[in-house]
Amino acid sequence: QWNSLTKGESSYVKHVKYSIKLRWTTLYAKGSFGTVTKTKAEFNALAQTAKLGIVRRECTNCLATHKDVYFRRKTSPEDWDYYDGLLVTWRDVGFHVDFDIYSTWDDAKNDKNPWKFCNGNVNEYGFPRDCGPTGSVWHQWNSLTKGESSYVKHVKYSIKLRWTTLYAKGSFGTVTKTKAEFNALAQTAKLGIVRRECTNCLATHKDVYFRRKTSPEDWDYYDGLLVTWRDVGFHVDFDIY
């Protein structure tokens, strides 16, 4: 049930894919969150890959209802202009149809308890204008150009990405990366977990999860998973599930 880049592989291992889930990835930040800025193209390229179309906004000195909120784009999340819609001019068109806002990740993920009030459509006033859980809440919006309210000084937008493919062949298509590219991504995997799928392996090996427990941000995943697998550190440095 093993794979290799160089050795003749067993007849089972013809269709293989390695993938990861990344940690929260920052799109924009200022104030106590540090400074992260991206071009419109870079911001949208990442946001359009967000898991379930969800973007998180944190604001340390906003009101309690707005300190940690979740915007979910429901229609065409892979095409929507997140940069313009969240940072430049927030619009309420499509509320409860094309998008919703939630107070927790679980609510956003499960589409439960969406906020009940929303407005917008004022040029250069960004997310979420006066939208609130039950009614209008003023001065919690951000903007790139307008003088912002005293509340919105420390803001961060971030996303969770979908499963990101590191390597694939066979029925999964062909995805190859250099060692540096493979490791750069794998070393950011959430909890150090890498998933391997193999459609024509035995049932026990069709979908397995490797977790690097010690120094996941430094381990050589490319060599360890694709080139030469080693069992040193089993149940200490790593486990398989």
Side-chain angles (χ1 to χ4, degrees), residues 22-209:
L22 302 184
R23 306 182 185 102
W24 284 100
T25 298
T26 301
L27 302 176
Y28 172 83
K30 71 172 189 174
S32 60
F33 291 107
T35 301
V36 176
T37 58
K38 297 183 185 297
T39 66
K40 180 175 180 175
E42 292 169 336
F43 189 102
N44 281 331
L46 278 171
Q48 288 166 357
T49 66
K51 183 177 180 182
L52 298 175
I54 297 170
V55 178
R56 177 187 192 184
R57 193 193 82 160
E58 298 168 84
C59 175
T60 55
N61 62 338
C62 284
L63 297 177
T65 52
H66 286 65
K67 285 185 179 296
D68 194 3
V69 301
Y70 299 80
F71 164 83
R72 180 174 177 177
R73 182 68 191 182
K74 295 178 174 181
T75 58
S76 302
E78 68 283 354
D79 296 317
W80 196 66
D81 189 340
Y82 292 81
Y83 186 92
D84 185 68
L86 298 177
L87 299 185
V88 182
T89 301
W90 169 256
R91 297 173 174 85
D92 62 349
V93 177
F95 186 44
H96 292 328
V97 177
D98 296 324
F99 76 90
D100 267 305
I101 307 170
Y102 310 82
S103 296
T104 70
W105 165 258
D106 283 341
D107 279 350
K109 181 176 63 174
N110 296 308
D111 193 16
K112 293 182 177 180
N113 305 311
W115 286 12
K116 296 179 179 179
F117 175 83
C118 204
N119 66 355
N121 311 306
V122 179
N123 285 341
E124 299 182 359
Y125 284 68
F127 179 82
R129 194 60 176 104
D130 303 327
C131 303
T134 58
S136 177
V137 182
W138 289 8
H139 306 311
Q140 306 300 294
W141 47 271
N142 52 252
S143 172
L144 296 180
T145 57
K146 296 286 186 181
E148 298 182 37
S149 75
S150 59
Y151 295 104
V152 185
K153 299 294 186 185
H154 311 285
V155 176
K156 181 170 75 170
Y157 282 91
S158 56
I159 59 169
K160 284 185 176 181
L161 300 182
R162 305 182 184 104
W163 283 101
T164 298
T165 302
L166 303 176
Y167 171 82
K169 71 172 189 175
S171 60
F172 291 108
T174 301
V175 176
T176 58
K177 298 183 184 297
T178 66
K179 179 175 181 176
E181 291 169 338
F182 189 102
N183 280 331
L185 280 171
Q187 287 165 357
T188 65
K190 184 178 180 181
L191 300 175
I193 296 171
V194 178
R195 178 187 193 184
R196 191 193 83 161
E197 297 168 85
C198 175
T199 56
N200 62 338
C201 283
L202 297 177
T204 53
H205 287 66
K206 284 186 179 295
D207 195 3
V208 300
Y209 298 78

